[in-house]
Amino acid sequence: MKLYMRKEGCCGCGACADVCPKDAVRMARDREGFLYPKVSRLRCVSCGRCQQVCPLPRPEPEALEHLYFGARAKEEGLRLGSSSGGMFPVLARHVFAQGGVVYGAAYDEHMAVVHREARNEEELEGLKRTKYVQSRLDGVYRQVEARLKEGRQVLFCGMPCQVQALRRFLGRPYPALLAVDLVCYGVPSPGVWERYVRHLQKVHGGRLTGFSFRDKRNRDSGHTRAYTIDGTEYAGPLNSDPYCQLMFRNYTLRPACHACPYCAPERDSDITIGDFWGVEKVRPEMDDGMGISLVILHTARGRAAWEAVRDRLEYFQCRREETLQPRLTGPTPASEGRAVFMKYYRRLSFPRLLQEIDGEKFLEEVQKSQREDPHG
């Protein structure tokens, strides 16, 4: 059984592997460093459950009343430790107070990005802040279902495709689930990230133990990145970081991200959160360089959570059109140089890769590929 015809048709959520009753589906890395499902013909019984949980193509969104807000935590420490306005830890505290658990993306012991459960604020620390890497969710959908069947409150935070995959995996509504998705630029390759981690460790001669893509020490809306190797911290502008440069050139995003059907304010989650880019035009007095969360409420469950936490926030209500940053109007476009970059990525060491992508040969190959295939 083939679960996708083209790579644009697979977002790598991994729900197909978790839902398979025969463990016939495994997630395997391709030559670009992304995970795709592989089906064992010997184990597969053609039950079709893997196809039923796939979030692509997107189902027709429900006709719901959506509410739009800008918000920031009153507690400055929550904002300092978050990528935007601190909305995620505020919601997490609310769930913890009910004896619940929280799921989000964290670094593992090898600095790979995985979804993980947090049961208290100490464990929540690893889930806070943006990770510009696609996360693995091995076993997480099953774990979330188990917690819900135990009667626990669950906050699940992830990409919109991951949230839709979880809803399809569960197969029925759970009032105890608060599903929160993110405004998403696109997910970069875990393989490229792994190569970058090794590169940093070799350059500095130590072990990478922490990486913040959106550090706020300079009150610059998170445009500083910082990482720690063997106890020594290295900080600098986000836009000068080589890995981030590759991402923002759109060389390293998953193919499905360039055709994402979830890039709109209307989502299938309870709440959408993200950076409120453009807040300086909507509420300039709120823009203090420490980040503002965009919050979009989609469901009654989302509105109930908002009512429960809004006394911990400074916020304002706004109109839909005031929220329309680029990733809420359409997917990130593919770069003309992406295919050539990935060819270089497969062949070259990371330092050599960084040297070559700004060279004449790289540009010539990109131009040649465009002449041969002008539609990309």
Side-chain angles (χ1 to χ4, degrees), residues 251 337 340-341 344 356-357 359-366:
Y251 288 161
V340 178
F341 168 81
Y344 278 44
E356 293 294 333
I357 58 173
E360 292 184 8
K361 182 179 178 182
F362 181 85
L363 180 59
E364 289 172 0
E365 289 199 45
V366 172

Side-chain angles (χ1 to χ4, degrees), residues 63-265:
L64 302 171
E65 179 184 359
H66 309 275
L67 300 176
Y68 307 87
F69 297 91
R72 64 188 187 192
K74 291 180 179 178
E75 185 178 327
E76 185 153 322
L78 288 185
R79 295 178 69 200
L80 183 63
S82 302
S83 293
S84 52
M87 191 66 198
F88 173 62
V90 166
L91 290 170
R93 282 184 173 181
H94 170 62
V95 172
F96 289 147
Q98 301 174 78
V101 295
V102 176
Y103 289 86
Y107 297 114
D108 70 7
E109 63 274 18
H110 304 295
M111 292 300 292
V113 178
V114 298
H115 254 65
R116 174 177 294 168
E117 179 185 273
R119 294 161 291 181
N120 52 52
E121 288 208 42
E122 182 180 355
E123 294 177 351
L124 183 69
E125 280 302 310
L127 276 59
K128 292 160 64 175
R129 300 193 181 192
T130 296
K131 284 90 178 170
Y132 290 144
V133 191
Q134 183 164 29
S135 62
R136 290 194 70 139
L137 291 98
D138 300 352
V140 169
Y141 300 102
R142 296 180 186 183
Q143 192 175 8
V144 169
E145 183 178 47
R147 293 289 181 265
L148 291 168
K149 288 182 176 180
E150 292 169 2
R152 303 283 292 275
Q153 296 287 319
V154 174
L155 164 59
F156 179 90
C157 184
M159 301 298 110
C161 52
Q162 293 171 336
V163 168
Q164 177 59 223
L166 175 63
R167 288 195 179 280
R168 290 190 169 196
F169 178 93
L170 295 173
R172 66 178 180 85
Y174 281 88
L177 173 66
L178 180 63
V180 177
D181 66 8
L182 303 169
V183 179
C184 178
Y185 184 85
V187 290
S189 164
V192 176
W193 169 248
E194 183 180 291
R195 294 265 297 274
Y196 186 48
V197 169
R198 293 201 302 265
H199 169 69
L200 290 177
Q201 293 180 152
K202 185 174 181 179
V203 167
H204 296 290
R207 180 169 171 264
L208 183 70
T209 56
F211 198 106
S212 173
F213 286 97
R214 303 285 305 285
D215 188 275
K216 292 183 179 177
R217 70 187 66 196
N218 295 322
R219 302 183 75 92
D220 59 358
S221 299
H223 285 92
T224 297
R225 72 95 181 92
Y227 58 85
T228 302
I229 293 183
D230 285 355
T232 300
E233 187 181 56
Y234 303 87
L238 178 70
N239 60 12
S240 69
D241 182 85
Y243 176 85
C244 295
Q245 288 177 344
L246 296 177
M247 172 186 168
F248 291 122
R249 289 185 183 187
N250 301 341
Y251 288 161
T252 62
L253 301 186
R254 191 179 184 96
C257 296
H258 300 304
C260 178
Y262 292 95
C263 294

Side-chain angles (χ1 to χ4, degrees), residues 9 16 31 33 43 56 92 99 101 125 130 139 166 181 192 266 273 283-285 287 299 315-316 322 327 340-341 353:
C16 51
R31 298 176 69 196
R43 290 177 176 267
L56 299 179
V101 295
E125 280 302 310
T130 296
L166 175 63
D181 66 8
V192 176
E266 296 75 33
I273 61 175
R283 289 291 191 280
E285 68 276 12
D287 183 25
T299 65
Y315 65 90
F316 59 90
E322 292 174 316
R327 296 295 72 79
V340 178
F341 168 81
L353 176 68

